[in-house]
Amino acid sequence: MRTDKSALAKEPEQRLKVTGQGEAILLLHSSLSSHKQWLPLAALLSERYSLWLADLQGYGRNSAVVFSQNPVWSLADEAEALLATLTPEQKNTPLIIIAHSFGAALALHLARTGKLKVKALLLFEPVAFHLLAAESDVQAVALTAEVRDLSEQMPALNATEAAQLFVDYWQQADYFRHLPARMQQQMAAQVWKVPQDFSALINEPATTTDYAALKMPVLLLCGSESRQSALRVSELLANSWPRAQITRLPTGHMGPVTAVDLVNQHIVAFLAGLPHQAEPGF
């Protein structure tokens, strides 16, 4: 085992940052990111909404996750860690969820299981790869293999190489190499949570039928320049939600970070059209 994979970190402890006042919104970030990806949106919404900005397990202000050759994690595990950061009052508060990528897949889990009282979902490309794995057509099989291969390659690399592989997959070749050195180091330090995220995403026991049962308002955003693996998942979800607002934007999978103003414009507009203090859609 290489030294940069050593189990040196403390046990992760998830935290929640709350800002603003009003109707509750929970914001969930993507893998290898933190609550900070949503700060520009929080600045736009804080006068009307109470914004709950979570750092998911292994990311942000939390301790890094220990390296594992055979990572095992689930969205149920992630949900329980998130719920542990909420007060009893927060757990019973009807809320809106805004989420991206892995965070958006977690949002689907929270809504499907009723672990939180979710009354609207605003999602940018939920990477619910379990839906992809359940399809049998040639494209879906190939894309599932692509995602599994990415996940399985990472533990064979050192931390910096693993972070580069992951970032370049979602951005473009050599994107990681041109990031500031400090950002590269931060990503490498937290990269071993990513294979656990993949395990959770691929093995979630849910189907398109389960998600079709969600009746709350949904905004599903996706990027026209994104990976086909993410776009196919968005297509499967869109077909399950005939009443959802589906919008494709001229950006990639990391649109909430690289096209902040464009993505936030659509989020703000959708929020403005929601009934004030609407009841959860179960």
Side-chain angles (χ1 to χ4, degrees), residues 16-38:
L16 188 73
K17 175 182 176 67
V18 178
T19 185
Q21 55 185 354
E23 199 170 355
I25 297 180
L26 174 64
L27 299 103
L28 303 174
H29 61 78
S30 63
S31 293
L32 210 57
S33 186
S34 76
H35 77 276
K36 292 182 179 179
Q37 82 166 67
W38 292 119

Side-chain angles (χ1 to χ4, degrees), residues 40-207:
L41 179 62
L44 296 176
L45 300 177
S46 60
E47 290 188 4
R48 180 173 176 183
Y49 298 94
S50 176
L51 303 162
W52 306 355
L53 296 108
D55 278 332
L56 300 178
Q57 287 285 73
Y59 300 125
R61 297 163 295 177
N62 295 327
S63 300
V65 165
V66 173
F67 168 79
S68 172
Q69 186 67 49
N70 299 295
V72 178
W73 189 244
S74 70
L75 290 177
D77 293 330
E78 193 76 49
E80 291 308 310
L82 173 63
L83 292 173
T85 70
L86 303 181
T87 66
E89 181 181 0
Q90 286 173 323
K91 291 177 184 177
N92 288 297
T93 298
L95 52 73
I96 297 164
I97 300 184
I98 299 173
H100 171 217
S101 193
F102 176 73
L106 175 60
L108 289 174
H109 174 89
L110 291 167
R112 177 180 66 83
T113 59
K115 291 177 179 177
L116 288 175
K117 297 181 178 181
V118 182
K119 60 184 182 180
L121 289 168
L122 290 75
L123 309 176
F124 194 103
E125 291 191 6
V127 283
F129 291 134
H130 49 283
L131 298 182
L132 199 60
E135 297 295 304
S136 59
D137 61 273
V138 172
Q139 183 197 46
V141 170
L143 292 174
T144 301
E146 176 182 289
V147 170
R148 290 186 186 276
D149 184 58
L150 174 64
S151 177
E152 292 168 2
Q153 283 184 61
M154 293 181 69
L157 305 173
N158 67 43
T160 300
E161 292 168 343
Q164 180 173 4
L165 179 68
F166 179 72
V167 170
D168 286 358
Y169 177 80
W170 289 115
Q171 296 280 18
Q172 59 189 24
D174 291 330
Y175 189 94
F176 180 85
R177 187 166 62 88
H178 291 95
L179 292 174
R182 183 178 178 182
M183 187 175 294
Q184 292 183 16
Q185 293 165 3
Q186 290 173 338
M187 289 181 169
Q190 298 188 324
V191 73
W192 298 127
K193 176 62 185 332
V194 175
Q196 293 193 6
D197 293 348
F198 275 119
S199 175
L201 295 167
I202 292 172
N203 295 306
E204 172 76 349
T207 67

